[in-house]
């Protein structure tokens, strides 16, 4: 199957709803920081944007627009202690097994078997879909996250959009 | 999320974005992307399929080691067993009113 055409689909959808055309972020190049140590020495952190929260925390707003909430998830959180609230995608599978979008069990497996050095002390959930305040992400929220990753000694960061 | 990866990478931490939207990834160009042609929400495959989850995570980690070209996209070989679609819930009337006001 050909990959889904999200850009065309969303552009049509927004137009049909009477919204102004969405101005997609477009870049011709990308920043690049080489990984300078072997995986087995790397501390790895993980971010999901799939509306995932611990059961003891308030749920994400499934229809949120411009929700800049970012939750810290302790690296030892059990994968069956999460709830998902996000109307943007079908999370039936992820409800049954969080690892479909936030593979914390698999990451811990890899720390145990020595593939990676360690799971970072904090994993992350936030930056849900439908954030239109791009500047708040670029100038404020993402740099703040980068500083926290640095504090945790993170060598490699994996982001899983949903 | 591609934007978040770009900012984190710029701050000096290597990143990999595990995408299910190849066209969006092509536009935003995170530093390194691993594309899985599966429904949004199944970036690491099906529930209970530990083997696939581990295989994809391993490939993501390997990409972090091997990537040399900024903005590269590597395609996962998985073929999703069923056709799938993108059909997000329409915005609530309140959300829509708020959006149109801007």
């Amino acid at each position: 199957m050909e990959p889904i055409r999200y850009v065309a689909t969303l552009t049509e959808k927004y137009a049909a709803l009477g919204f102004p055309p969405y101005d997609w972020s477009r870049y011709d190049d990308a920043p690049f920081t080489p990984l300078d140590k072997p995986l087995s020495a790397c501390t790895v952190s993980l971010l999901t944007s799939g509306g995932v929260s611990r059961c003891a925390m308030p749920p994400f707003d499934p229809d949120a627009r411009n929700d800049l909430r970012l939750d810290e998830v302790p690296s030892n959180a059990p994968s069956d202690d999460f709830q998902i609230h996000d109307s943007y995608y079908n999370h039936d599978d992820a409800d049954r097994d969080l690892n479909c979008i936030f593979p914390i069990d698999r990451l811990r497996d890899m720390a145990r078997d020595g593939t990676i050095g360690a799971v970072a002390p904090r994993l992350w959930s936030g930056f849900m879909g439908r954030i239109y305040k791009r500047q708040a992400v670029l100038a404020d929220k993402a740099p703040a996250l980068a500083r926290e990753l640095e504090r945790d000694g993170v060598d490699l960061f994996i982001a899983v959009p949903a | 999320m591609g934007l978040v990866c770009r900012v984190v990478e710029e701050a000096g931490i290597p990143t990999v974005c595990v995408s299910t939207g190849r066209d969006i990834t092509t536009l935003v160009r995170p530093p390194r992307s691993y594309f899985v042609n599966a429904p949004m929400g199944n970036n690491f495959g099906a529930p209970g399929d530990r083997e696939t989850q581990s295989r994809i995570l391993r490939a993501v980690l390997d990409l972090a080691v091997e990537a040399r070209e900024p903005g590269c996209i590597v395609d996962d070989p998985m073929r999703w067993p069923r056709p799938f679609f993108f059909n997000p819930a329409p915005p609530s009337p309140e959300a829509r009113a708020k959006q149109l006001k801007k």
Side-chain angles (χ1 to χ4, degrees), chain A residues 1 7 17 33 65 97 106 159, chain B residues 9 32 37 48 53 91 96:
Chain A
M1 183 176 142
V7 174
L17 288 164
T33 303
R65 303 285 187 283
D97 181 356
R106 300 295 83 79
Chain B
E9 187 97 17
R32 302 167 199 75
N37 197 7
Q53 293 164 3
R96 195 179 162 201

Side-chain angles (χ1 to χ4, degrees), chain A residues 11 19 25 36 38 40 50 60 103-104 109 113-114 117 123 128 136 138 154:
Chain A
T11 301
F19 291 166
S25 293
D36 62 359
S40 58
F60 276 90
I104 60 177
D109 291 346
D113 72 15
L123 310 175
M128 264 176 86
L138 287 172
V154 171

Side-chain angles (χ1 to χ4, degrees), chain B residues 64-86:
Chain B
V65 174
E66 289 157 14
R68 294 288 174 273
E69 186 200 332
C72 57
I73 305 178
V74 170
D75 293 280
D76 186 81
M78 178 166 64
R79 301 179 85 127
W80 197 249
R82 294 171 297 284
F84 56 94
F85 309 95
F86 174 53

Side-chain angles (χ1 to χ4, degrees), chain A residues 29-107:
Chain A
D29 52 10
F32 199 77
T33 303
L35 188 68
D36 62 359
K37 43 172 102 165
L39 281 178
S40 58
C42 283
T43 296
V44 182
S45 190
L46 199 58
L47 164 69
T48 170
S49 63
V52 174
S53 54
R54 298 293 301 280
C55 287
M57 296 280 286
F60 276 90
D61 171 0
D63 300 310
R65 303 285 187 283
N66 290 316
D67 188 349
L68 296 168
R69 167 175 164 187
L70 181 62
D71 285 10
E72 299 179 3
V73 175
S75 63
N76 62 355
S79 57
D80 58 2
D81 185 32
F82 287 84
Q83 50 181 334
I84 304 178
H85 296 271
D86 189 340
S87 62
Y88 201 61
Y89 71 103
N90 180 334
H91 46 80
D92 291 350
D93 283 354
D95 288 335
R96 285 166 58 199
D97 181 356
L98 184 70
N99 294 287
C100 293
I101 50 165
F102 196 41
I104 60 177
D105 290 322
R106 300 295 83 79
L107 193 63

Side-chain angles (χ1 to χ4, degrees), chain B residues 3-20:
Chain B
L3 295 179
V4 174
C5 286
R6 293 177 62 94
V7 171
V8 170
E9 187 97 17
E10 253 162 23
I13 298 171
T15 66
V16 183
C17 189
V18 187
S19 162
T20 57

